[in-house]
Amino acid sequence: MNQASMKKSAAQNQLNHFQGLSDQEASERLRVEGYNELPTRGSRTLSSISLEIIREPMFLLLVSSGLIYLMLGDAGEASMLLGFVVVIMATTIFQERKTERALEALRKMSAPRALVIRGGKKKRISGREVVRGDILLLSEGDRVPADGVLLSANELAVDESLLTGESVPVRKAARAEAEPEPKMQGPGGDDLPFVYAGTLVVQGQGVAEVQLVGEQTEMGRIGKCLEQLDPGKTWLQKQTKGLVRDLACLGIIICALVVIIFGLTREGWLNGILAGLTLAMAILPEEIPVILTVFLALGAWRISKQHVLTRRVSAIESLGSATVLCVDKTGTLTQNIMKVKTLYADQEFYPISFHDPRDSLPEKFHTLIEYSVLASEIKPFDPMEKALHQLRAYYLSGTEHIHPNWILAHEYPLSAELLAMSHVWKSTDSSRYVIAAKGALEAISSLCHLSQEENQRLTEQAEFMANEGLRVVAVARAIFDSKRMPESQHDFDFQFLGMIGLADPPRPAAAAAIKDCHQAGIRVVMITGDYPATARAIARQIGLTESDQCLTGPELSAMSEQESRERVTQVDIFARMVPEQKVRLVQALKASGQIVAMTGDGVNDAPALKAADIGVAMGGRGTDVAREVASLVILDDDFSSIVQAVRLGRRILDNIKKAIAYTLAIHIPIIGLSLLPLLVGWPLIFSPVHIVFLELIIDPACSVAFEAEPEEEDVMRRPPRNPKEPLFGRKLMLLSIFQGILALGLLAAIYGRAIFLGQSVERARTLTFTTLILINLALILTNRSWGGSLIESCCRKNKALWIILVSAPLLLGLVLWIPWMRQLFRFSPLGLPDLLRCLGGGLCSLILLEGLKLLFLPLSSS
């Protein structure tokens, strides 16, 4: 037996003896020593948020206005503004803290996971919960969560380039039992017994005891920080940056002109500066960055409630554009719960029922079951291998077909060239080696060198099982005398034993989710390593496609670039696929103009996930590598969760558009009423206190009410969004402008009529401002839904919206009826007829706005 084989056997035997820490010991160490994590730059404290608010232009404008009022001797107005400053700070801090909590929850969810032994049992925990003394189980694709010393290693190789810069993986060796516990050393070099936090296991398995966690690790000393969500500059931010910049520049120019004109024509420079500041507050589009920050952060949090973790904010934007979802059949479209249904050996089928007597199985099938298990992992994780172990335990327990003393000497893994794997076993009673192989029928047939006639007969039987929706696995055995293992499985003299048919039923929600995708204009492509017939049977059960066309991995690999580009647009079922061929599929789909979302779970799936527009990793059975390169992580591995994420992604983009449309529309009458008196010689309508009062309604409406708005009924009945389409298209911009102009016209008419009739400025201002508040609410109601009428939208639940609709009139009532507040706002009392006129103006605007929406309704998606 070679050295690697001995290590493999030792690792398997030791695994049963590790006890690890108890849950109580782990909890106590976690309490005393803290979490296994490094400080994140993304964490924002209350003081840092407050400092950011103080630097905001709106805050500076309010403070400047308050100082000018003090210089003018108006202490009451200054006090009111400073009071509003406190309210706005409190509101903003609440919104920012809510956003920060959502991001912190996502950071914790996206932390690498760890498999540990505690109390003698395997336990999957978050990497941040690993403590000193924990026993780690490491395997290919894992990200090491902490620094530790290896207790056992089987062909273990680790990529330490994150710490050393060396791209070549280093070989690891376990600490010798006779040696004293070694002191942790720096990374780099082969055959050392140390593993380090943040490094990647690229080959083999190992067991390690944690020595250092958190800032004490090698990564902590270097100052790296991995567990952090960094949204970066997204498409939405780029789209809105120009809009905000243009409006801000326009505001500065207009405000400067207002100050100059007012100072020269009305002989009051302080009042002119005050008028300019008022206009600046009216023009400043400070709500738009808030909309993006809050909507995307809370949107990612909402998506996580559907068992989907958003690792990159840009994925939320891309979800609305996805045209193709490429999904694995096993575990995503199906339940990943395998059951053996049929055995085939010596030209005879035998249906499996676990209700039959244990001794009812004919002898000819005993060997088939025996070698199918020998070709599987000793402690299987794969559902198919678990089913084979279950079958052996039921029928062969206590028989000579169980070999507890055999030693696994060598493994031949499955590869793209040969879809079969072999285990070489050494019997303690013989010098000979026994080889068990299982895999695809064509691969096992090749290993057994079957004749063309026999191969044809077996293929027909396999297709018969596959047409029943069964996954078919062929099994073979061989005997080998030499101690030197050959390079290839083909060098063994295999004997064909038979085939096993296993069933993996579709998930109950898969058919409905696929129907939703088709209605949304999203094509679903199924990828599997199974036979084409099995894939077609599952596709029929879930309603995947009307066509039975199927393309296999080898066929795809043999095609030219042009041919593959054409074929992938016509086929929705891809069978006999290996991870390397997924990359080819993604590239062909993207080359044909598709926006591709790709699922994957293994180390070899990482290139395909990275190549896709949206990489989707499986959280339950996926490796850390797949999770890290993916934009989304499906925590429950369920296809319907992906569809729910698409639904929520479309809803989030819709609500962002609605919030920005409302923001632009409401600013037009505010800006217009600030400028109009200067142009026609009327007294000023607004002062900073009025603008601030409006912001108390506008800000929550943008950042809370529209964010909580449910999706439109047709959200999954529209085609995907064109990724080249701007966030705020020309037609939507026109809709917002017309809404704003309509509101401005009504308000200007009310103010002008009052001035024309000789009413006081205070009365004209009160009538105009009261109507503006009602029109503001009308704009919120109108823009909350572009897919239905006002009556239909009122039936939709939105608690935050109704709080705003109730609180705004109540606040306005306090201002109108409390004398000292009325004086600060420079209002006059209003009687019932005046209030009815204002209410009539608000209702009139609501009717006109709804009519305008109906006019633009066919265009509102642009």
Side-chain angles (χ1 to χ4, degrees):
M1 188 186 303
N2 58 33
Q3 186 178 7
S5 302
M6 294 174 64
K7 290 180 181 179
K8 174 78 173 182
S9 176
Q12 293 293 341
N13 292 330
Q14 287 183 15
L15 208 58
N16 299 322
H17 302 297
F18 290 122
Q19 289 296 313
L21 301 174
S22 67
D23 289 335
Q24 292 78 10
E25 289 174 324
S27 298
E28 179 63 18
R29 291 193 182 185
L30 191 65
R31 184 187 67 81
V32 174
E33 301 178 4
Y35 285 105
N36 176 37
E37 58 186 3
L38 303 176
T40 60
R41 294 192 300 269
S43 180
R44 299 162 68 210
T45 62
L46 185 64
S47 58
S48 65
I49 293 174
S50 301
L51 185 61
E52 291 176 10
I53 295 172
I54 293 173
R55 295 172 179 172
E56 286 292 323
M58 180 61 75
F59 181 88
L60 298 175
L61 289 173
L62 285 172
V63 173
S64 301
S65 300
L67 292 175
I68 292 175
Y69 274 117
L70 286 175
M71 295 172 65
L72 292 172
D74 194 340
E77 189 86 17
S79 300
M80 175 64 74
L81 281 178
L82 294 178
F84 277 134
V85 166
V86 174
V87 173
I88 288 178
M89 281 193 67
T91 303
T92 306
I93 288 173
F94 170 77
Q95 294 169 350
E96 292 290 339
R97 290 296 294 168
K98 185 176 180 181
T99 300
E100 197 62 28
R101 284 194 295 269
L103 289 175
E104 180 62 25
L106 292 174
R107 274 192 287 268
K108 290 178 180 179
M109 291 174 65
S110 65
R113 304 161 302 160
L115 184 61
V116 300
I117 295 180
R118 287 185 179 172
K121 296 180 179 180
K122 295 181 183 179
K123 188 175 183 180
R124 179 77 66 176
I125 63 174
S126 170
R128 67 193 297 268
E129 296 175 359
V130 170
V131 298
R132 182 176 53 82
D134 260 329
I135 301 298
L136 297 174
L137 302 182
L138 303 173
S139 59
E140 182 180 335
D142 287 347
R143 184 70 70 178
V144 181
D147 289 6
V149 59
L150 285 166
L151 305 180
S152 71
N154 172 47
E155 299 180 357
L156 186 66
V158 180
D159 179 0
E160 297 181 348
S161 59
L162 185 68
L163 300 177
T164 65
E166 295 294 332
S167 59
V168 179
V170 293
R171 187 174 60 252
K172 294 294 179 180
R175 171 176 66 89
E177 293 185 7
E179 294 180 3
E181 186 170 315
K183 183 179 179 181
M184 291 294 300
Q185 301 177 10
D190 288 324
D191 297 323
L192 293 176
F194 307 110
V195 290
Y196 305 93
T199 58
L200 177 66
V201 178
V202 296
Q203 178 183 312
Q205 299 86 33
V207 180
E209 181 179 352
V210 175
Q211 303 292 312
L212 301 171
V213 297
E215 294 182 346
Q216 297 178 342
T217 62
E218 189 71 22
M219 180 176 291
R221 288 194 290 271
I222 296 175
K224 299 289 183 180
C225 181
L226 293 181
E227 296 176 15
Q228 175 178 333
L229 294 175
D230 181 15
K233 288 292 182 182
T234 68
W235 171 80
L236 284 174
Q237 291 170 331
K238 294 175 183 178
Q239 287 283 311
T240 55
K241 182 179 179 181
L243 178 63
V244 173
R245 183 188 63 245
D246 294 344
L247 289 175
C249 292
L250 179 64
I252 292 173
I253 295 171
I254 295 176
C255 292
L257 291 175
V258 166
V259 173
I260 294 172
I261 294 172
F262 195 100
L264 292 177
T265 59
R266 304 198 182 190
E267 298 180 356
W269 286 100
L270 279 179
N271 285 323
I273 294 174
L274 201 59
L277 291 175
T278 302
L279 184 59
M281 293 166 65
I283 295 176
L284 189 66
E286 85 283 354
E287 298 91 353
I288 294 179
V290 173
I291 290 170
L292 293 183
T293 302
V294 172
F295 278 48
L296 292 178
L298 294 184
W301 174 78
R302 287 185 187 278
I303 289 178
S304 73
K305 295 300 182 182
Q306 299 295 327
H307 309 290
V308 180
L309 170 63
T310 306
R311 291 187 55 85
R312 294 174 180 79
V313 177
S314 58
I316 298 176
E317 306 161 14
S318 302
L319 280 173
S321 303
T323 59
V324 177
L325 292 182
C326 297
V327 295
D328 286 316
K329 175 184 73 67
T330 304
T332 306
L333 294 174
T334 63
Q335 297 180 34
N336 202 24
I337 303 174
M338 303 295 290
K339 291 284 186 181
V340 176
K341 294 295 184 181
T342 302
L343 302 179
Y344 177 84
D346 290 340
Q347 303 185 34
E348 181 181 344
F349 284 103
Y350 186 87
I352 293 296
S353 173
F354 288 93
H355 300 293
D356 292 341
R358 294 176 182 268
D359 58 358
S360 62
L361 183 70
E363 181 66 28
K364 69 172 69 175
F365 297 103
H366 287 196
T367 305
L368 174 62
I369 298 175
E370 172 189 359
Y371 279 85
S372 71
V373 175
L374 288 174
S376 304
E377 292 296 328
I378 298 173
K379 293 187 176 181
F381 178 74
D382 181 77
M384 181 190 71
E385 295 188 344
K386 286 183 178 180
L388 297 176
H389 275 262
Q390 181 187 21
L391 183 69
R392 183 186 68 171
Y394 186 82
Y395 283 111
L396 303 184
S397 181
T399 70
E400 72 278 9
H401 298 284
I402 306 294
H403 309 287
N405 297 325
W406 285 16
I407 299 172
L408 182 60
H410 194 71
E411 294 184 44
Y412 292 92
L414 180 142
S415 66
E417 293 76 24
L418 185 67
L419 297 176
M421 60 183 297
S422 296
H423 283 179
V424 181
W425 294 89
K426 177 68 169 63
S427 170
T428 55
D429 302 327
S430 172
S431 61
R432 305 171 74 184
Y433 290 91
V434 177
I435 301 94
K438 77 176 191 315
L441 174 60
E442 58 266 30
I444 297 298
S445 297
S446 175
L447 291 177
C448 295
H449 307 291
L450 299 179
S451 65
Q452 185 175 356
E453 293 78 10
E454 192 171 7
N455 189 52
Q456 178 64 32
R457 177 177 55 80
L458 290 172
T459 300
E460 291 175 358
Q461 302 302 335
E463 288 181 352
F464 172 78
M465 288 192 286
N467 286 329
E468 298 297 319
L470 299 180
R471 182 175 183 180
V472 181
V473 177
V475 182
R477 69 175 177 183
I479 305 296
F480 190 67
D481 293 321
S482 174
K483 292 184 178 181
R484 184 174 180 178
M485 295 298 160
E487 294 292 330
S488 171
Q489 300 176 68
H490 281 285
D491 295 325
F492 296 111
D493 185 17
F494 278 106
Q495 173 191 355
F496 188 84
L497 295 179
M499 295 181 290
I500 301 175
L502 302 97
D504 181 13
R507 289 183 180 268
I514 287 175
K515 184 178 179 181
D516 287 343
C517 286
H518 291 164
Q519 290 178 342
I522 302 172
R523 180 175 152 223
V524 181
V525 169
M526 184 176 73
I527 303 172
T528 179
D530 280 346
Y531 282 96
T534 306
R536 291 190 184 100
I538 296 296
R540 285 192 294 268
Q541 294 178 43
I542 60 178
L544 179 69
T545 177
E546 296 180 356
S547 170
D548 267 356
Q549 288 191 72
C550 180
L551 196 64
T552 66
E555 289 172 346
L556 180 64
S557 299
M559 291 180 180
S560 65
E561 293 292 335
Q562 181 63 33
E563 188 180 3
S564 65
R565 195 178 307 170
E566 295 174 357
R567 285 289 289 155
V568 297
T569 62
Q570 304 164 358
V571 179
D572 294 332
I573 305 171
F574 291 82
R576 289 334 226 178
M577 296 283 285
V578 294
E580 292 81 358
Q581 291 159 346
K582 290 185 179 182
V583 179
R584 179 74 185 276
L585 175 60
V586 170
Q587 292 171 341
L589 286 168
K590 291 178 69 175
S592 64
Q594 305 295 321
I595 306 298
V596 182
M598 166 68 75
T599 67
D601 54 12
V603 176
N604 291 336
D605 288 333
L609 294 176
K610 194 170 184 179
D613 297 288
I614 310 168
V616 183
M618 299 296 105
R621 65 180 191 274
T623 61
D624 286 334
V625 178
R627 287 161 57 95
E628 287 175 8
V629 300
S631 304
L632 301 173
V633 179
I634 308 301
L635 302 178
D636 59 358
D637 296 354
D638 193 339
F639 175 70
S640 63
S641 296
I642 305 176
V643 180
Q644 288 301 317
V646 173
R647 180 188 297 274
L648 281 172
R650 291 188 174 192
R651 164 189 162 176
I652 292 166
L653 274 180
D654 278 355
N655 288 345
I656 287 175
K657 289 183 178 182
K658 293 172 185 177
I660 294 178
Y662 157 75
T663 301
L664 294 178
I666 190 58
H667 274 74
I668 290 174
I670 298 174
I671 296 170
L673 293 176
S674 300
L675 280 174
L676 196 60
L678 296 175
L679 299 177
V680 299
W682 290 344
L684 292 179
I685 303 174
F686 293 145
S687 64
V689 70
H690 301 108
I691 305 299
V692 173
F693 186 92
L694 286 168
E695 291 296 332
L696 291 179
I697 302 173
I698 295 172
D699 283 351
C702 290
S703 60
V704 179
F706 280 105
E707 192 281 328
E709 189 64 30
E711 69 265 14
E712 301 282 359
E713 290 185 2
D714 69 337
V715 70
M716 292 298 283
R717 295 199 297 270
R718 311 180 210 141
R721 179 185 61 83
N722 185 345
K724 297 180 180 179
E725 171 190 300
L727 169 67
F728 216 66
R730 180 178 59 86
K731 294 171 183 177
L732 276 184
M733 181 70 76
L734 287 175
L735 175 60
S736 294
I737 291 174
F738 276 114
Q739 286 181 342
I741 291 175
L742 189 152
L744 175 60
L746 287 173
L747 293 168
I750 291 172
Y751 189 78
R753 178 181 179 276
I755 296 295
F756 179 77
L757 293 177
Q759 298 178 359
S760 67
V761 174
E762 289 76 12
R763 184 177 180 80
R765 180 182 294 117
T766 308
L767 289 169
T768 305
F769 190 81
T770 302
T771 308
L772 175 58
I773 295 297
L774 296 174
I775 290 178
N776 184 17
L777 299 181
L779 281 169
I780 295 174
L781 289 172
T782 297
N783 284 291
R784 68 177 297 214
S785 174
W786 291 337
S789 66
L790 177 64
I791 297 176
E792 293 172 340
S793 63
C794 286
C795 297
R796 297 159 61 177
K797 294 181 180 180
N798 188 337
K799 183 178 178 181
L801 171 69
W802 293 110
I803 291 175
I804 292 173
L805 293 179
V806 171
S807 60
L810 289 177
L811 288 173
L812 178 63
L814 292 175
V815 173
L816 292 176
W817 299 113
I818 298 177
W820 67 268
M821 293 188 70
R822 190 168 62 233
Q823 183 179 357
L824 285 175
F825 277 79
R826 294 182 173 85
F827 287 164
S828 67
L830 292 181
L832 182 60
D834 293 327
L835 290 175
L836 291 176
R837 290 191 191 96
C838 294
L839 182 60
L843 291 175
C844 179
S845 70
L846 185 59
I847 294 171
L848 292 175
L849 288 171
E850 279 294 301
L852 190 64
K853 186 175 72 175
L854 290 175
L855 179 64
F856 277 83
L857 189 58
L859 312 174
S860 61
S861 61
S862 300

